[in-house]
Amino acid sequence: MNTRSSLPQIHADVDAMVQAHVKPGMHLHLATNPSRPNALIHALARNFRHKNPRFTISTTALQGSGHALALAGVIERAITCFAGDNYPSPRPNRIYQNLLAGKPFVLEQWSILSLVQRLMAAALGSQYAVTRSLVGSDLERAKEDVLFTIPDPAQPSESITLLRSLAPDLTLVHGVCADDRGNVLLCAPTGEGHWGALAARGGVIASVERIVPRAVIDAHADRVLVPGHRVVGLCEARFGAHPQSLRTCGIGDIPSYRDDYAALLEIVERFRTAPDAEAWFRDWVAPPRGHDAYLAHLGEERLHALSAVPERKAAPAPQGEPTVAERLIALAARQIVDLVLERDYQTILAGIGISHIAAWVAAKQLERRGVHVRLLAELGFYGMDPHPGDVYLFSQLHMGHCEQLAGVAEILGCYVAGQASKCLGVLGAGEIDPKGNINSTRTNTGKYIIGSGGANDIASTVDCLLVAREGKNRLVREVAYTTSPGRNVLGVVTPFGRFGRTTPEEPLSLSTWLPVGSEGEATPSASVERWSDWPLPVESVSTEADIRDDERALIWEIDAEGVYRR
């Protein structure tokens, strides 16, 4: 007779819970909902630092507090889609530069949707998942969990790939609240949703802002995403997602809190050198510092400020000549507007960085012309009207200005890759070649960049526009690694003009040119030769109009602090 209680074990803190349930050598999944279980990540790092055997870690991204795991040496193998920093825009982190050589751990790279699809398959009791992502990219190659690719029986011109499901031993989650039965409540947007939690063979250990009476959970049963019978360990961890945000919907009178941008930037800065990174670990993670000490180090005044909506700052009037970044945003917005009007796209999915600012500008311009196009973000944002003054793509402040809040499966799976999709993807890239292939994975010297994130899922399934800074190291003859295939790329926008093509088989060529005044190039061909490694000559090029005052005013209104436009 099985007498084991189905109720979870409730622990005093995250360290006690990690010590009780996590065993060396496990496969641990770090859920993205869309916040990550950062208090648990810190506990994992400090309790297992330099111990063997190490863990297999799966997660959609290693960023922010996740760097503590790499620094602690607890990862043997990582199954992920991104490793680096993403605030305010994606950038490499020094600690991962030798990942492709297996240091500090072995890397297995996926796209966000394909990883979530593998978790979904395991949660549904299937050994296999089917995806339209990965095809034609280097992400598809040399993986034992990519079984085969075949023509799609429903659309022979397209291909589908069979993947093995992904079932971790244990999944780590941070939720809004839970009851003593283990039911964990999450608020949308949900990122990967409950799939990682339900895929775990051994169940879930969850930290929450507060353990609440059962009546609170029962009153919000429509929101409970992790059912109690899957939760084996539970504890409270106030601000357990910090430095990321957490949306609570006011349930149980638990306050929401915003991303701590200062903390995220501190991580970026202090990981530039090994001694500074070690000092950051000592200051914020290492024993005897537990989660209570972490909060005390932050201070109640700082924590309280994160729960308040900041005052909107007035947008400054544009000054001086347009910067290179402003030129790029304005030209990209023009191209987005042209494509939406020409092809009747209903949604725009923009990747993080200058590409999402261009998409936001274009959406405002279209709205002024009476055309409503919905902005999407991959972690669960649909119909965004970005909160004024906050340019971070995944800011919690945008969540209150959305037509719908969902998850990765809905956004990347249904609204982007779905059968009835009329979506335009707007993406950035580390490298782009004339075929439209995108590289955000490795440099030509073998150093790791950041990985795919959701870019491969978008480029694999819908029409795309690429937004790229100029430079021979960006516009290259051939990418060093195909992170995302170029078959759906309609064009590329640079600060000196727009590139396009009429068929996917043609190479991209300059179609419009923006002169740069008396010190700039005298001809379109001269610009292409100076700022790219793409082939010449350039023919049939029209001249772009100068950046208008109204375009600059809108860019400055959206990016008041100049995070992207400088």
Side-chain angles (χ1 to χ4, degrees), residues 303-349:
L303 294 173
H304 178 75
L306 292 174
S307 296
V309 177
E311 293 184 10
R312 181 184 178 183
K313 297 180 181 179
Q319 300 174 1
E321 293 296 316
T323 64
V324 171
E326 285 179 77
R327 290 160 55 91
L328 179 56
I329 294 168
L331 291 186
R334 290 178 186 179
Q335 183 68 356
I336 295 167
V337 169
D338 289 348
L339 288 170
V340 169
L341 295 177
E342 174 189 338
R343 296 177 177 237
D344 193 30
Y345 295 111
Q346 298 171 351
T347 59
I348 298 173
L349 191 294

Side-chain angles (χ1 to χ4, degrees), residues 1 48 67 87 112 120 133 158 189 198 219 246 262 269 318-319 322 412 434 446 458 470 483 496 504 509 515:
M1 179 178 177
F48 287 92
H67 301 336
Y87 179 79
I112 287 179
M120 292 173 70
S133 301
E158 302 289 334
L198 297 180
L246 185 72
E269 292 301 319
Q319 300 174 1
L412 292 180
I458 301 159
E470 75 287 359
T483 308
F496 62 86
S509 61

